[in-house]
Amino acid sequence: DAGITQSPRHKVTETGTPVTLRCHQTENHRYMYWYRQDPGHGLRLIHYSYGVKDTDKGEVSDGYSVSRSKTEDFLLTLESATSSQTSVYFCAISGVPGGELFFGEGSRLTVL
Amino acid sequence: SQQGEEDPQALSIQEGENATMNCSYKTSINNLQWYRQNSGRGLVHLILIRSNEREKHSGRLRVTLDTSKKSSSLLITASRAADTASYFCATAQDDSWGKLQFGAGTQVVVTP
């Protein structure tokens, strides 16, 4: 299995609080992605990174920010969580753009 | 908006039967990939087919791609109970091939 660790795996928080999800990889892959998964929507891309300090927006980036200061870590931050951000968040990595993705086990976030 | 859409949304079959699911997409692609997701887990890559390929096999999996119809199909032969999962197609588009876009998935249940 690809070395991808997401933390926390489960989190319950209240509306308006900041939340940071962490994705850590040991594969030295250049490309890292954050997706959210909601019933009926499949996976939707939030942000992605193509190198240290190089990030770009996906299709549902509003309300989210990311940072990548090291190859191995990709952080997703919800500055002020809303109930619509209740979801399961998946981190994925890839060695080549558009290539096979390796996924983490997901982080389930509930915003009350 | 989603690039890929799977059909059917759900499929229930018995062990030993074949399972076929389809994926349609909207824009020109570099490649198309299929993933499997077991309940509560991350996605696992199954197979990648490039835009210049028409058919690909991997074990009991057969994938076809028809770029003129912008569609792909995944066939699982001789299904087993362990094939019970959700299956997703994902496309790497020509104009943004670093980012994969996923469909909503097909939920497959294989009963013994």
Side-chain angles (χ1 to χ4, degrees):
Chain A
D1 289 346
I4 309 168
T5 304
Q6 291 186 228
S7 59
R9 294 291 313 281
H10 301 272
K11 185 172 182 67
V12 179
T13 191
E14 294 190 349
T15 298
T17 59
V19 175
T20 295
L21 305 180
R22 180 184 184 231
C23 178
H24 178 79
Q25 61 142 329
T26 58
E27 305 298 318
N28 201 35
H29 280 347
R30 178 179 178 184
Y31 301 90
M32 298 186 74
Y33 308 82
W34 277 108
Y35 287 89
R36 60 177 289 174
Q37 185 175 33
D38 304 288
H41 288 278
L43 277 79
R44 292 180 290 175
L45 182 64
I46 305 171
H47 280 281
Y48 72 107
S49 170
Y50 45 95
V52 174
K53 297 186 179 178
D54 290 323
T55 65
D56 203 353
K57 297 179 180 180
E59 59 184 307
V60 290
S61 59
D62 287 350
Y64 302 94
S65 62
V66 290
S67 65
R68 190 169 179 200
S69 59
K70 298 185 289 185
T71 299
E72 56 266 35
D73 289 326
F74 193 32
L75 303 181
L76 177 70
T77 297
L78 292 66
E79 300 291 348
S80 177
T82 68
S83 59
S84 65
Q85 293 176 312
T86 291
S87 187
V88 180
Y89 291 86
F90 285 98
C91 174
I93 65 174
S94 177
V96 294
E100 174 183 355
L101 292 181
F102 299 92
F103 281 84
E105 290 297 300
S107 295
R108 181 175 294 275
L109 175 67
T110 302
V111 184
L112 302 175
Chain B
S1 62
Q2 287 173 224
Q3 161 75 327
E5 295 193 2
E6 288 92 341
D7 170 62
Q9 291 185 326
L11 183 61
S12 185
I13 57 174
Q14 291 191 316
E15 270 191 329
E17 294 180 338
N18 295 341
T20 300
M21 59 210 85
N22 304 295
C23 171
S24 60
Y25 57 92
K26 300 173 183 174
T27 62
S28 179
I29 62 171
N30 177 276
N31 70 68
L32 185 144
Q33 303 176 34
W34 286 91
Y35 289 80
R36 183 188 74 228
Q37 183 181 34
N38 292 95
S39 182
R41 305 297 300 274
L43 281 73
V44 174
H45 182 266
L46 295 176
I47 198 164
L48 180 154
I49 186 165
R50 303 192 185 283
S51 59
N52 61 352
E53 298 176 310
R54 292 296 167 260
E55 188 171 313
K56 208 163 183 179
H57 297 255
S58 177
R60 293 184 295 112
L61 306 179
R62 173 180 170 246
V63 169
T64 62
L65 178 64
D66 187 335
T67 53
S68 67
K69 295 182 179 178
K70 292 186 170 59
S71 68
S72 173
S73 68
L74 170 67
L75 168 68
I76 305 173
T77 60
S79 297
R80 306 166 181 169
D83 295 326
T84 294
S86 292
Y87 292 81
F88 296 87
C89 69
T91 53
Q93 297 173 62
D94 265 344
D95 60 350
S96 57
W97 59 296
K99 300 180 286 185
L100 289 186
Q101 286 195 296
F102 286 79
T106 293
Q107 190 169 10
V108 175
V109 174
V110 182
T111 54

